[in-house]
Amino acid sequence: MISIIIFINLVVVVVVVVVVVVVVVVVVVVVVVIITIIIIIMSPSLFPSNPANVIVDRMRYSAADAFKAQTFELPREASEGVWSISANFEGSDNKYSETKTVEFEVREYVLPRFSADLKINTDVISRNTGWVEFDVTGKYVYGRNLQGTVEMQLGTWDENDGIRLLPERYGKVLEKGNAKLYAMMSKVFPEASEFPEEKRLYVTVNVTEAGTGENQTLVDTTTILSHPYYKIDFSASDQYFKPGFPFTLKAAIRSQAGKPTPSVPLYAVVIFKDKNGNRIGKKKTYEKADQSSNLVKVYQVSEKTEKMEILVGVLDWMRHVFTDYKHFPEKLKSGTNQYIHISMEKPIGVR
Ligand SMILES: *[C@@H]1O[C@H](CO)[C@@H](O)[C@H](O)[C@H]1NC(C)=O
Ligand SMILES: *[C@@H]1O[C@H](CO)[C@@H](O)[C@H](O)[C@H]1NC(C)=O
């Protein structure tokens, strides 16, 4: 009897505990749901939503942070279809602006069977550029060389005119996963026509796999069209000379695309003239650009010098480019036409 009563009491206690736990859990869930709904209703800002129009995340940023790019992570099991990201702005008056939305599509990613790559052997094409090599390589994802064909078309591109394709097509069969196509630039941009200065070369290549016909299109606009190939910048050089003082010439030699060309052969000519315009001195030297692709030289300027003319030229035998640029530093004007000459040679005397 006693043991049965104790047993019944135990059952009652267990039931009560279970009921309490269930009630607590239900209350917590309800509170969480209510808070979530409140947050969703109250919060401004950014929220990605999925194709079922379920908002999957909300973020709130300060205005300063929101102007930077934000990264959103898709859930692992993201459903396919059109997703969107919406944003609105909450002003200091707590009013929300109109919501802006961008859409994007989530689709299953089908692994490509191959990858292809294009390399061009120059960064700038100028009037005197000869053959340009377009090197296409293809590999299956499992590592073997791609078998197939390559088709290329050239054109020009710039922000205003967009793409202008030229009619010629170049084609080749991949050998050991590689095809080198060549185009003669004097034919692509004939002398008779205007050189498309300040544009970029537009290169489009279709790579087609032999077995399946699967294809990829590569596009490259990294090569600039500019004449001449080189530019020489004298802005780091002395802009004034003082008769009787040394003058430092600094020339930065770069391709028009900004590529340094260390050790490229150069020549430098400096002509000094007097007040009647007569040549009173000339220095001509052959140099090489240093490892930073600059030329730095110091010239002694005689007292009588009124005018200096500097010419630095590039002698690029490889590219058949011979370009020179001039620099005309001015004589430094002093109000009284007097200069203080300071030189320190030896200790003048020790007391
Ligand atoms: C590449 O293929 C597309 C069609 O898929 C075609 O319109 C384009 O002209 C092709 N380009 C070349 C260089 O063959
Ligand atoms: C590339 O493949 C697509 C279909 O996937 C086809 O429509 C197109 O014509 C192909 N282009 C070439 C150049 O074979």
Side-chain angles (χ1 to χ4, degrees):
M1 225 22 209
I2 283 172
S3 73
I4 286 176
I5 287 170
I6 287 171
F7 178 75
I8 288 173
N9 276 345
L10 210 60
V11 167
V12 168
V13 168
V14 167
V15 166
V16 167
V17 166
V18 168
V19 166
V20 167
V21 166
V22 167
V23 166
V24 167
V25 167
V26 166
V27 165
V28 166
V29 167
V30 166
V31 166
V32 166
V33 166
I34 288 173
I35 287 174
T36 309
I37 288 170
I38 287 173
I39 287 174
I40 287 174
I41 291 170
M42 299 300 289
S43 164
S45 65
L46 291 161
F47 43 96
S49 66
N50 72 5
N53 268 333
V54 177
I55 291 168
V56 293
D57 205 351
R58 272 175 187 269
M59 300 92 166
R60 184 179 180 155
Y61 300 99
S62 74
D65 281 344
F67 281 113
K68 297 175 197 144
Q70 302 293 352
T71 305
F72 301 95
E73 237 169 76
L74 279 181
R76 283 190 76 81
E77 302 294 331
S79 50
E80 290 182 35
V82 177
W83 286 57
S84 64
I85 294 178
S86 305
N88 61 12
F89 178 72
E90 179 187 350
S92 51
D93 53 1
N94 284 348
K95 280 194 183 133
Y96 300 139
S97 72
E98 194 190 326
T99 301
K100 301 275 181 216
T101 301
V102 289
E103 293 188 342
F104 61 96
E105 196 183 347
V106 174
R107 246 189 284 159
E108 190 185 357
Y109 181 63
V110 182
L111 270 180
R113 279 164 49 87
F114 69 87
S115 65
D117 182 47
L118 165 69
K119 284 200 177 67
I120 303 170
N121 74 341
T122 186
D123 58 332
V124 176
I125 289 167
S126 52
R127 266 263 178 247
N128 35 22
T129 303
W131 292 98
V132 171
E133 182 188 279
F134 302 86
D135 188 333
V136 183
T137 41
K139 268 196 169 11
Y140 290 103
V141 284
Y142 53 84
R144 289 275 286 279
N145 291 328
L146 182 71
Q147 294 190 317
T149 52
V150 171
E151 252 199 301
M152 178 176 81
Q153 205 173 353
L154 302 176
T156 60
W157 176 86
D158 79 358
E159 259 170 54
N160 302 324
D161 286 354
I163 303 163
R164 297 268 171 98
L165 282 172
L166 296 162
E168 287 88 346
R169 283 169 188 263
Y170 308 76
K172 213 163 184 185
V173 176
L174 286 163
E175 274 176 44
K176 294 185 180 148
N178 178 263
K180 288 182 174 62
L181 303 152
Y182 297 89
M184 183 54 156
M185 286 304 130
S186 57
K187 285 212 176 124
V188 176
F189 304 112
E191 292 282 343
S193 67
E194 207 182 310
F195 188 74
E197 195 84 42
E198 306 299 317
K199 293 196 176 210
R200 279 167 186 270
L201 183 71
Y202 182 88
V203 187
T204 172
V205 174
N206 287 342
V207 183
T208 307
E209 204 268 327
T212 58
E214 182 184 321
N215 61 68
Q216 274 181 31
T217 302
L218 309 173
V219 172
D220 185 297
T221 54
T222 56
T223 309
I224 73 168
L225 298 164
S226 186
H227 190 80
Y229 179 86
Y230 285 96
K231 64 174 180 222
I232 299 180
D233 176 25
F234 293 102
S235 59
S237 198
D238 286 351
Q239 302 298 315
Y240 293 95
F241 68 86
K242 289 169 258 177
F245 282 81
F247 173 89
T248 306
L249 169 70
K250 286 188 187 160
I253 297 96
R254 302 286 186 272
S255 82
Q256 296 278 4
K259 188 171 134 195
T261 51
S263 311
V264 71
L266 305 170
Y267 59 96
V269 184
V270 181
I271 293 167
F272 303 92
K273 288 183 174 170
D274 68 9
K275 62 176 188 297
N276 302 318
N278 297 322
R279 193 185 279 195
I280 53 170
K282 179 179 173 179
K283 279 219 150 52
K284 180 170 183 175
T285 53
Y286 290 92
E287 314 276 344
K288 264 188 175 174
D290 63 20
Q291 282 317 298
S292 316
S293 196
N294 298 324
L295 172 70
V296 180
K297 270 189 84 71
V298 177
Y299 294 94
Q300 195 56 46
V301 182
S302 79
E303 297 273 359
K304 290 203 188 83
T305 306
E306 287 288 317
K307 234 182 144 190
M308 270 180 83
E309 293 171 11
I310 300 171
L311 182 148
V312 176
V314 188
L315 299 164
D316 185 338
W317 314 109
M318 301 286 290
R319 288 191 186 82
H320 301 278
V321 174
F322 311 102
T323 313
D324 51 40
Y325 282 80
K326 290 185 176 141
H327 179 48
F328 300 104
E330 280 182 53
K331 185 181 157 189
L332 188 75
K333 294 259 186 326
S334 109
T336 59
N337 237 2
Q338 290 174 319
Y339 308 95
I340 303 171
H341 291 219
I342 299 173
S343 64
M344 196 165 76
E345 287 167 11
K346 288 183 189 125
I348 296 162
V350 185
R351 279 188 200 177

